[in-house]
Amino acid sequence: MIKLFESWRKKGSRPAIEAPSGDNIPKHVAIIMDGNGRWARKLGLPRIVGHRNGMKAVKRATIAADELGISVLTLYAFSTENWKRPKDEVDFLMSLPQEFLAIELEELIQKNVQVRMMGHPNELPDHTVAAMEEAIERTKNNTGLILNFALNYGSHREITECVKEIAVRVQNGSIKPEDITQDMIGSGLLTGDLPDPDLLIRTGGELRLSNFMLWQTAYSELWFTDLYWPEFGREQLFAAVAEYQRRTRRYGGLS
Ligand code: FPP
């Protein structure tokens, strides 16, 4: 079986794509991994084959993000709305974290990658949570790339739960309404201690955010590609980062 980080070991075999360099590498890149199903349909294959090949693209994106020195890579693997899909497909998607980590966790540990999960674990199957918890526990002291899986994640729910917690603090008198700040909301979200995404990538040709990190992406640079997620790799990540480096971020001010 080919290991996830094989290409880290075989550096000489890499295709010659120039890596963006300089100080202006985005700290946090978030990706909406879309188009697995359409990729499979294009090839006359079942949708789950698309998802399995999507897992291979997760590997390529992780390697490339590490190579560029990106600090956080957040991947939208399953949304709070994805439960509407047929049970077989949901079951398959829920098996992927376990499959991915069974093959690759040791290598992730060696490469100093810290695995995290962002989402609501309660509705996830036990085997999915167990695989994620093991990876999180075993990589918690790693100081390299943070590989953050958004699993059963939805921005509306995240914000609603944060607001409810703040409302409870107001109700019990520990804070007043006028004490509520943007920072309090930001730090009460599931991203907690992480910086906001500098760059948001979406594959699959759709131009929308689909309930993904709506608060955190207020000033993210957006990069879209018509390529389907299973077609995504080092070259596309580098192209997105190179484009990011050409942009001027003004945050509502003047350059
Ligand atoms: C959306 O594309 C993709 C998903 C809902 C699943 C994404 C999951 C992966 C890429 C694999 C995750 C791997 C790990 C290790 C967690 P779609 O299938 O809805 O595409 P379509 O719009 O073409 O139907």
Side-chain angles (χ1 to χ4, degrees), residues 33-39 47 51 54-55 58 76-79 82 85 89 93 96-97 100 149 151 206 228-229:
M33 307 183 290
D34 194 18
N36 293 345
R38 280 167 287 159
W39 178 85
R47 287 179 62 80
H51 293 313
M55 189 178 79
V58 167
Y76 203 10
F78 194 88
S79 78
N82 286 153
R85 295 181 178 218
E89 182 169 342
L93 285 168
L96 286 182
F100 176 84
F149 289 104
L151 261 182
E206 309 286 3
Y228 298 134
W229 176 248

Side-chain angles (χ1 to χ4, degrees), residues 157-201:
R157 180 164 166 188
E158 174 190 38
I159 294 169
T160 304
E161 291 188 0
C162 171
V163 168
K164 277 186 193 163
E165 279 174 25
I166 293 174
V168 168
R169 292 168 67 193
V170 171
Q171 193 178 35
N172 68 24
S174 60
I175 57 167
K176 297 192 185 76
E178 54 269 30
D179 297 330
I180 298 169
T181 60
Q182 289 187 20
D183 282 349
M184 190 184 288
I185 296 173
S187 60
L189 299 176
L190 296 171
T191 32
D193 58 333
L194 298 177
D196 288 340
D198 301 294
L199 173 62
L200 173 73
I201 293 172

Side-chain angles (χ1 to χ4, degrees), residues 84-98:
K84 295 175 197 159
R85 295 181 178 218
K87 185 176 181 311
D88 283 1
E89 182 169 342
V90 169
D91 288 348
F92 187 80
L93 285 168
M94 288 299 147
S95 73
L96 286 182
Q98 196 177 358

Side-chain angles (χ1 to χ4, degrees), residues 67-224:
E67 187 183 341
L68 285 182
I70 288 166
S71 305
V72 187
L73 179 66
T74 295
L75 301 174
Y76 203 10
F78 194 88
S79 78
T80 45
E81 288 70 40
N82 286 153
W83 298 106
K84 295 175 197 159
R85 295 181 178 218
K87 185 176 181 311
D88 283 1
E89 182 169 342
V90 169
D91 288 348
F92 187 80
L93 285 168
M94 288 299 147
S95 73
L96 286 182
Q98 196 177 358
E99 184 177 332
F100 176 84
L101 292 165
I103 302 167
E104 305 303 343
L105 181 57
E106 296 304 327
E107 198 80 33
L108 289 166
I109 292 168
Q110 278 177 31
K111 293 296 171 191
N112 200 23
V113 173
Q114 185 186 118
V115 177
R116 292 202 194 181
M117 190 194 124
M118 172 176 88
H120 306 282
N122 289 356
E123 294 102 32
L124 296 172
D126 290 346
H127 62 87
T128 311
V129 176
M132 289 307 304
E133 279 179 349
E134 185 195 348
I136 292 164
E137 176 60 26
R138 294 185 63 198
T139 62
K140 69 180 179 198
N141 296 321
N142 286 358
T143 54
L145 173 71
I146 294 174
L147 179 57
N148 185 31
F149 289 104
L151 261 182
N152 196 26
Y153 172 84
S155 212
H156 286 171
R157 180 164 166 188
E158 174 190 38
I159 294 169
T160 304
E161 291 188 0
C162 171
V163 168
K164 277 186 193 163
E165 279 174 25
I166 293 174
V168 168
R169 292 168 67 193
V170 171
Q171 193 178 35
N172 68 24
S174 60
I175 57 167
K176 297 192 185 76
E178 54 269 30
D179 297 330
I180 298 169
T181 60
Q182 289 187 20
D183 282 349
M184 190 184 288
I185 296 173
S187 60
L189 299 176
L190 296 171
T191 32
D193 58 333
L194 298 177
D196 288 340
D198 301 294
L199 173 62
L200 173 73
I201 293 172
R202 181 172 187 146
T203 59
E206 309 286 3
L207 307 179
R208 56 177 169 257
L209 295 181
S210 301
N211 201 16
F212 186 54
M213 302 183 89
L214 300 181
W215 175 280
Q216 298 91 333
T217 55
Y219 283 101
S220 303
E221 295 297 325
L222 309 180
W223 191 85
F224 297 98

